[in-house]
Amino acid sequence: MPKETSSMTSTKSDAAAQDQIQNENRSISSSLSDENPDADHSSVDDSATSEDVEAIALATKTADENFVPSQSLLTSSSPYPLIRSVDGISLKRYNPDPSRFSAKDVIVPLRGQLNIPIHVVTSGSVVDYTVESKGFDIGFGIEAEREEGATVVKEMTRQDSHRSAIKGRFLVGTVPCAIIFTFDNEFSWFREKKVTYKIKVTPPSFDNIYRGRRTRAKAALQVVSKDKESAETRLENVVSKHSTLMQEIERLENELQEQKKSLGVVEKEEKWLKERVQLRDVQEDLLTRRLTEGWEDEAIVKKRVSSDGESSNDDDVNEGVEHDEADGSICNLQQQEEATAQQFIAIPNETLPH
């Protein structure tokens, strides 16, 4: 008996994929139901009539003509996922025999649901189903879940399946997909329900596979060619923009080199001017001290003149010694000032004396 599972989460689909799904559903209802409305589907094991075969072929053709590659296939960096989608199932180990799924008196809990997932991997497969409940009605619906999203195959409604079996048939166009048969008993507070189902999945014939491949290949080729044309137009614009940006970068790099050269000249001038300012600072200080405090040698000369007036009777020997001493003091003072000035120029960051 199939295991009860939770419903798969639907994803957002692009408009083209949704249109394709809706077209498949319309082809299913028009080609498989209206083609032979009086056909007796008392059992899913009944052999298909010639009308059924023709309807299936028409529905398959319609679905293949509406084939649109999914966005994930178009954005893939590999070329092969799209090709595999067009190729469909490999015929090397293809088995055209139908697959059957059935269970009897499966319990649907009160206030609960039972989901029966059937995975279909071959495009053009036909699904037949017969559903019955025991004693009471049951909610029943079918969804097809794909990578692009989910679409409703049969709306969820309460069915008097305890009085007459629910029967139906539909075509699966886009694969892979999971067909979810849902039995709903959430409306019942007091009773669990028992359901019996028979499901048959019939793969397409070899002829339908051949035709389907070619139809899907033509549809995919149109999409690929249109996308290529759009990409080529965008590529031209991008190449032009790339060339413009490279030229702008080259211009900015040349300008930067010129600015670096100008910076070198400015830095040299800055260094020279700093040294000039430091030199002038020392000169200003020395000149200011002379103007405010006087010259040291003038003070010594004045002192010597004053001493000469007071001791005019001193012998020449003593006078000669004092004169030599005065001259030596003046030389020493000048040497000290020059050394101090050189020290300030060599060490510009030190505070100048006042």
Side-chain angles (χ1 to χ4, degrees), residues 14-254:
D14 53 77
Q18 283 290 9
D19 290 342
Q20 178 186 357
I21 292 171
Q22 297 300 330
N23 288 333
E24 288 174 4
N25 288 340
R26 286 194 292 271
S27 68
I28 290 167
S29 60
S30 62
S31 299
L32 297 185
S33 300
D34 299 338
E35 182 72 21
N36 190 13
D38 298 327
D40 182 13
H41 301 296
S42 58
S43 171
V44 295
D45 294 328
D46 290 343
S47 299
T49 64
S50 59
E51 292 82 358
D52 291 337
V53 172
E54 183 178 351
I56 291 172
L58 177 60
T60 302
K61 180 176 181 293
T62 302
D64 289 332
E65 288 174 347
N66 291 316
F67 172 76
V68 178
S70 67
Q71 194 64 26
S72 62
L73 294 177
L74 293 175
T75 56
S76 174
S77 59
S78 171
Y80 298 108
L82 172 63
I83 303 304
R84 286 195 292 268
S85 177
V86 171
D87 291 346
I89 193 169
S90 173
L91 299 181
K92 294 179 180 179
R93 299 181 181 84
Y94 181 66
N95 182 8
D97 296 336
S99 300
R100 292 177 172 82
F101 309 87
S102 63
K104 185 176 181 180
D105 293 339
V106 182
I107 294 176
V108 183
L110 58 91
R111 303 294 295 168
Q113 285 187 342
L114 173 65
N115 293 323
I116 309 298
I118 305 296
H119 294 276
V120 181
V121 296
T122 307
S123 177
S125 296
V126 176
V127 179
D128 294 278
Y129 62 89
T130 300
V131 174
E132 297 177 284
S133 60
K134 192 172 184 179
F136 303 95
D137 64 348
I138 190 74
F140 177 68
I142 306 172
E143 275 195 355
E145 295 186 348
R146 303 174 174 88
E147 179 184 355
E148 297 81 12
T151 184
V152 176
V153 178
K154 181 177 178 59
E155 290 283 352
M156 174 65 69
T157 56
R158 291 178 65 171
Q159 302 281 344
D160 292 330
S161 51
H162 59 299
R163 296 177 180 174
S164 61
I166 305 170
K167 301 174 184 179
R169 167 182 288 174
F170 59 91
L171 175 73
V172 180
T174 303
V175 292
C177 73
I179 308 299
I180 310 298
F181 293 82
T182 300
F183 299 92
D184 184 20
N185 196 33
E186 290 185 342
F187 58 85
S188 178
W189 288 81
F190 304 106
R191 296 185 181 89
E192 61 183 24
K193 305 294 175 60
K194 293 182 178 181
V195 296
T196 297
Y197 62 83
K198 296 179 180 179
I199 302 170
K200 181 178 72 171
V201 180
T202 304
S205 66
F206 285 103
D207 288 339
N208 284 344
I209 292 177
Y210 301 154
R211 288 192 294 267
R213 282 179 169 179
R214 286 152 180 78
T215 303
R216 290 194 300 273
K218 291 178 181 178
L221 181 59
Q222 291 180 353
V223 173
V224 169
S225 299
K226 185 177 180 180
D227 186 72
K228 176 187 174 183
E229 181 179 353
S230 174
E232 286 176 342
T233 302
R234 292 175 59 188
L235 179 60
E236 290 179 1
N237 295 332
V238 170
V239 169
S240 175
K241 186 175 181 179
H242 179 270
S243 177
T244 301
L245 290 174
M246 290 300 296
Q247 292 175 1
E248 180 67 13
I249 290 172
E250 183 179 0
R251 184 189 67 80
L252 292 174
E253 287 178 344
N254 292 334

Side-chain angles (χ1 to χ4, degrees), residues 312-348:
S312 58
N313 297 324
D314 291 347
D315 55 36
D316 294 337
V317 175
N318 291 332
E319 182 179 357
V321 171
E322 291 178 356
H323 184 270
D324 293 340
E325 290 178 351
D327 291 341
S329 299
I330 292 171
C331 291
N332 290 335
L333 288 173
Q334 291 177 345
Q335 291 175 354
Q336 290 177 359
E337 286 182 347
E338 291 178 357
T340 302
Q342 291 297 329
Q343 180 181 6
F344 292 150
I345 295 174
I347 309 176

